[in-house]
Amino acid sequence: MRVTTAFNRMLALEGARVTDVAFGAEGVIVTVALRAKKPRCSGCGTPGLNIKEHRAKSWRHLDLGGSKWFIECMLRRLYCPGCGDVYEQVPWARAGSPYTRDFEDLTAFLAQQMNQTAVCRLMRTAWRTVGKILQRVVLDKLDHDRLDGLVYIGVDEVCHGADRQFLTCVADHQKPRIVWAARGRNAASLQAFFDQLSDAQKASIKAVSIDMSAGYEKAIRAPEGLPDAQVCFDPFHVVKLGAEATDKVRRDEYNRHGRSSTDTGKWIKGARYSLLKDTANQTNRQLLKLAEVVTTNKPMYRAFLLYGELRYIYRLPKEEAPERLDAWLAWASRSRLKPFIKLARTIRKHKQGVLAAIELGLSNGRLEALNSKIRLISHRAYGFHSADALIAMIYLCCAGITIALPHR
């Protein structure tokens, strides 16, 4: 009697009532009846469709007292011109789902906090079932207006799987969340995102930050992309190129002086961190090594100065950056250091994007933080069978979705 009363209260606002409670081998089956009303398509919500037949359908509900609970109801099967043969819409379950909304919402909430194996044990479901539930919840809960009003966005790739597959992720710089994700990391992958945007949504985007990926830049600058938006190259990747050029100069000197077979080669090998670390963070031993570099190896010292000046450009007021960058490019071009001559050509080619990042103060730091969270999600699950399952988890955990618990 108490069970019937409790379910009647739960279903009262959903246009149904309990007619029977039976205890079977699989669990407790609660039979309910829908109140008389015009049926709607469970897929698109179209009302007034032709009724083909009546058929019983059951849904798994939240467990109670260690027993599985099911809701069973006699539904009308309809013919929808757009969806085909479907059941009528019921308020306690999503279309095509064998689970109630409460069950799916609780499963999705737990998946945000723990790995899917633990969720399977707690909810007593199959591993693949949890993945399908997450896809349905994300489709229902994901903000469909998240692409409206974007101004500054960032694009980056994240690796997943043992065979090193990649996803392209697009994040909103003004809100810490992923707004779009798909397979691949080339121009076609990013173009798929632009194809989903309306003309008004494209017009609102003022700048896009990327690492110096030719594929992403090609998609952004294409006529069907965002030709009017500024492309900003992530400062970390620009400075990283400077670090790689500095280390290349050191390795060239190391090879020229006989590698580890000579005392000079051993000394050069130990100078790596003295050249690459900020002097404010170096130990006394590293500073002494740097002082030796100043007096004994001019190419390495010149590389150290060029690298330090490149980093310093990002700390200057944005009004001074163009002039200092031009001076740096001229210095690097005549430095007689091949790695820096090559780097100067690369930065000169991407000069507009480098200066745009300084002017707008944009970087991919937020995206790198979200990518770390995505990698943690993947590691927590010990990998995913498909990219679609990982993308659903990315939206669930990184797109600002809030799951309301059933008892709330």
Side-chain angles (χ1 to χ4, degrees), residues 202-244:
K202 288 183 178 180
S204 69
I205 299 175
K206 304 301 181 186
V208 184
S209 67
I210 59 173
D211 54 12
M212 304 176 82
S213 168
Y216 290 155
E217 185 181 7
K218 178 182 177 182
I220 295 168
R221 298 192 186 280
E224 57 273 14
L226 300 174
D228 297 328
Q230 286 184 289
V231 177
C232 303
F233 294 113
D234 180 35
F236 171 81
H237 288 85
V238 177
V239 173
K240 180 183 176 184
L241 292 177
E244 291 172 351

Side-chain angles (χ1 to χ4, degrees), residues 110-163:
L110 293 173
Q112 286 181 324
Q113 318 300 326
M114 62 178 72
N115 64 69
Q116 286 188 216
T117 302
V119 176
C120 292
R121 290 188 63 189
L122 183 61
M123 302 302 292
R124 295 195 282 185
T125 58
W127 199 90
R128 293 183 183 275
T129 299
V130 174
K132 294 177 181 178
I133 288 174
L134 297 183
Q135 291 180 16
R136 283 193 293 268
V137 172
V138 166
L139 186 63
D140 182 38
K141 300 285 187 179
L142 190 62
D143 182 9
H144 298 289
D145 297 327
R146 66 190 185 282
L147 302 181
D148 294 339
L150 296 175
V151 180
Y152 302 118
I153 62 173
V155 182
D156 201 8
E157 76 277 358
V158 61
C159 177
H160 74 96
D163 52 351

Side-chain angles (χ1 to χ4, degrees), residues 221-275:
R221 298 192 186 280
E224 57 273 14
L226 300 174
D228 297 328
Q230 286 184 289
V231 177
C232 303
F233 294 113
D234 180 35
F236 171 81
H237 288 85
V238 177
V239 173
K240 180 183 176 184
L241 292 177
E244 291 172 351
T246 303
D247 198 47
K248 182 66 168 64
V249 172
R250 183 193 63 82
R251 285 188 281 112
D252 289 344
E253 289 295 299
Y254 172 70
N255 292 327
R256 190 168 67 86
H257 285 87
R259 302 171 69 87
S260 294
S261 60
T262 64
D263 292 339
T264 304
K266 293 177 181 178
W267 173 79
I268 292 174
K269 183 178 180 180
R272 183 171 187 263
Y273 292 104
S274 297
L275 297 175

